Amino acid sequence: MKKLVAALLAMSMASLVSLAQAAAAPGQAAPEFSLVDINGKMQKLSDYRGKYVVLEWFNSECPFVQKHYESGNMQSLQARYTQKGVVWLGVNSTSPRHSNFRDPVSSQAILKDWKSAPTAFVLDPDGKVGKQYGARTTPHMYVIDPKGTLVYVGGIDDKPSTSQRDIPTAKNLVAVALAESLGGKPVGTPSAMPYGCSVKYDN
């Protein structure tokens, strides 16, 4: 298992290099996008101006994503902050050419099985939005403030492993960023290295 985790991290690090220059950074305006969600509704980032928005890059076949869903950690975050009025958008940029691709019907079933409750879940099959943001891993997390500015970009927490046992002792960087920003404070850690599986772009 340790060798597998090391290999996955190595692949994600390789993707960091290729997307480094394209990455959207804290303090910048979040790139606008329009994507159809898995229920057939158009989701435009601009429609949520005035609200906090979390973007969560997702791939159900990634063991790092499975860590946070099979433990209930991601669902807990979604529920905690959507109840506070935060918009939570799941994004899957997996290419349809890749074996990890899941169509809208399959995606609905996966989210239902995991009891996931984002505001909406969108597919980005050509990877355009993922590349605009510089999304490198699953998960890769982004927090956008009501003005449309990125206030956090990076990993979900500070323990890059696939083990659920690490969750209780990890510092959840997304939760900290949201708590600080919602409380009117500057985000103390606006960026952190993302970890997980590489996003399965078409090229």
Side-chain angles (χ1 to χ4, degrees), residues 100-160:
N100 287 177
F101 177 76
R102 298 294 179 265
D103 64 18
V105 173
S106 298
S107 297
Q108 289 172 4
I110 290 165
L111 296 186
K112 181 178 180 180
D113 183 56
W114 272 342
K115 297 181 173 60
S116 178
T119 306
F121 187 92
V122 299
L123 300 184
D124 174 38
D126 62 6
K128 182 179 179 180
V129 174
K131 291 175 181 178
Q132 280 182 308
Y133 277 82
R136 306 162 188 172
T137 62
T138 51
H140 194 156
M141 311 295 296
Y142 297 77
V143 178
I144 303 166
D145 74 7
K147 295 180 181 179
T149 302
L150 286 158
V151 295
Y152 177 75
V153 175
I156 185 173
D157 61 31
D158 62 353
K159 289 203 173 181

Side-chain angles (χ1 to χ4, degrees), residues 16 19-31 53-57 129-137 139-145 148-158 172-178 180-181 187-195 201:
L16 298 185
L19 288 171
Q21 294 182 342
Q28 295 181 350
V53 178
V54 173
L55 303 180
E56 171 209 338
W57 257 262
V129 174
K131 291 175 181 178
Q132 280 182 308
Y133 277 82
R136 306 162 188 172
T137 62
H140 194 156
M141 311 295 296
Y142 297 77
V143 178
I144 303 166
D145 74 7
T149 302
L150 286 158
V151 295
Y152 177 75
V153 175
I156 185 173
D157 61 31
D158 62 353
N172 193 301
L173 299 169
V174 175
V176 171
L178 282 167
E180 290 174 338
S181 198
V187 175
T189 303
S191 64
M193 183 67 72
Y195 72 87
Y201 291 115

